[in-house]
Amino acid sequence: MPLPAPLTERLTIPAIAAPMTAVSGPGLVTAAAAAGVIGSFPTHNAADERELDGWLTEIAAALAGLDAAPVAPNLVVHRSNARLATDLACLLRHRVEIVVTSVGSPAPVIGPLHDIGCLVFADVANLAHAERALAVGADGLVLLTAGAGGQTGWANPFAFVRAVRARFDGPLVLAGGITDGVAMAAALTLGADLVHLGTRFIATPESLADPAYRGAVVASSMDEVRLSDRVGGIPASLLAAWLDSAGADDPADAGFAQDRLLRNRAAWSAGHGVGAVTGVSPVAEVVAALAAEYRAATGIPHWKDAPLPIRGSRSHAGGTNSDSPVTGGFPEHSA
C-alpha cells in the first residue's frame, strides 16, 4: 500500500532529513519540516527523556499552524539502549506520526505505536532484515545501502531496491549517497517512495554540527569517506579527518552498543555524496535547490504549474501488512 495522501500532500520533495547523531536537533527538524521535508532525529540526541519531551514540544509549537511535513523521531531498538522504554513512552505521549527504528527488530515498539496511528519504518541492510521487519508488522522500510553516511549498508542500491520491491509493495525509503535532485529522481525510478538525505543537511546553520565539522563536509570528496566500526561497533561511513585524529577504539569493544555510540557522538559522519556539498546554506535554500534539481530531472515545470511526481499506487506483486495504519493513496503524477 502506498504512502497516504495526507502525508505526501505536505511534502515539497519526496525526502526525509535523515536522523544524524549529534547533528539533528529541533532547529534542523523544524526547518526541514517547515520546508516540506520529513524531519527526523535520533531520540538519543536529547540528553534524557525530559529533554526529549521538551524538544518535541518545541518542534510542535514551531510548526503549529503551518502545512508542515511530518516529524519522524528515530528510535534505536537495540537491547543495549537503556532509554528505549522511556523514549518510547515520550513519543507515545506526543502522538508522533512516524517513527524510524534502527539497529534491531521493531517488534517491541510496533504495537504501542500502531495503537496511536503511528507509522513505523524500520531501517534494514539486507533482505533477511527486511523480511523480519515486515513479518513483525513494520509499515515501511529504510534501505541502508553502500555509501550512506553514518550507520551504513553494503548492498548495491539498484539491486536492493528491486529485490525488496519484488517482495513488498509498501513504503520504501532509499538511503545511500543521495545528495541532489537527480539522484532523488533515480531513486523513485528504481521503485523507492522517499529518500534519506543526511549529508546535505550537515552543512546548514540549523544543524548541531560544529563549524569544524561543517567545514570538513564542505571540503571533502567521497575519497575522504572511510568505512569503519570505530563509532558504534558496526560499519559506518566517517570522514577520514576525524578518524585520523580520533585514533583506534578499544579493541575489547566488539559489536554495537548504545553507550559506545554515545561515547563517540562527536564523530564526523558523511556519505559518499559529500562532494555535492559546496557551502554552508540554510535548510530552506537547500530544499529549494533540491526541488529545482528534482523537477529538472523529471521534466516537471515550476511548482505552480504541476505537482511533484511522488510515487503513488502500484501494481507490484508484493504485499503489505494488513494491520498497518497506512491507508488510502494518491494518483501517480505524470511528468
Side-chain angles (χ1 to χ4, degrees):
M1 193 172 290
L3 289 164
L7 187 157
T8 60
E9 288 169 354
R10 294 150 61 192
L11 301 183
T12 300
I13 54 175
I16 297 174
M20 297 174 281
T21 296
V23 172
S24 307
L28 178 55
V29 170
T30 299
V37 173
I38 297 170
S40 187
F41 69 98
T43 61
H44 60 250
N45 276 0
D48 51 30
E49 184 269 342
R50 182 175 180 179
E51 184 171 52
L52 176 60
D53 182 76
W55 280 18
L56 290 168
T57 300
E58 176 185 344
I59 292 167
L63 298 176
L66 302 179
D67 188 23
V71 172
N74 167 227
L75 191 59
V76 171
V77 292
H78 192 266
R79 61 184 177 277
S80 65
N81 183 6
R83 281 177 44 185
L84 176 57
T86 56
D87 284 3
L88 173 62
C90 185
L91 301 183
L92 294 173
R93 288 197 303 274
H94 284 268
R95 304 189 69 84
V96 296
E97 295 183 77
I98 304 171
V99 164
V100 179
T101 64
S102 298
V103 202
S105 171
V109 304
I110 282 181
L113 290 170
H114 278 179
D115 286 345
I116 63 165
C118 177
L119 303 179
V120 180
F121 290 3
D123 71 10
V124 297
N126 57 42
L127 289 176
H129 292 166
E131 289 168 355
R132 288 198 291 267
L134 294 173
V136 298
D139 305 298
L141 301 172
V142 178
L143 307 185
L144 298 177
T145 68
Q151 179 193 345
T152 191
W154 51 89
N156 176 283
F158 291 90
F160 199 12
V161 172
R162 298 313 299 158
V164 175
R165 184 51 78 207
R167 295 163 168 78
F168 176 58
D169 196 37
L172 293 183
V173 185
L174 179 58
I178 299 170
T179 47
D180 62 26
V182 175
M184 194 185 312
L188 267 70
T189 299
L190 276 176
D193 299 281
L194 300 166
V195 300
H196 250 202
L197 294 167
T199 302
R200 190 74 183 264
F201 290 113
I202 297 171
T204 60
E206 295 93 342
S207 85
L208 298 176
D210 62 37
Y213 183 7
R214 294 175 190 167
V217 167
V218 172
S220 296
S221 73
M222 67 183 296
D223 286 352
E224 278 75 59
V225 177
R226 293 185 194 164
L227 191 64
S228 173
D229 63 0
R230 166 70 173 79
V231 171
I234 54 178
S237 297
L238 305 169
L239 289 180
W242 183 84
L243 279 169
D244 290 342
S245 65
D249 200 6
D250 182 353
D253 286 345
F256 179 84
Q258 181 77 346
D259 59 349
R260 182 179 179 184
L261 173 66
L262 297 180
R263 283 202 311 270
N264 292 290
R265 64 168 65 243
W268 291 356
S269 300
H272 286 182
V274 67
V277 184
T278 58
V280 177
S281 302
V283 167
E285 291 183 12
V286 172
V287 174
L290 289 165
E293 294 163 357
Y294 181 58
R295 291 181 184 283
T298 55
I300 293 293
H302 191 271
W303 68 271
K304 291 183 179 178
D305 303 313
L308 280 167
I310 298 174
R311 186 175 298 274
S313 58
R314 310 180 192 85
S315 58
H316 296 287
T320 56
N321 288 308
S322 60
D323 294 330
S324 168
V326 179
T327 57
F330 48 92
E332 193 92 33
H333 297 310
S334 59

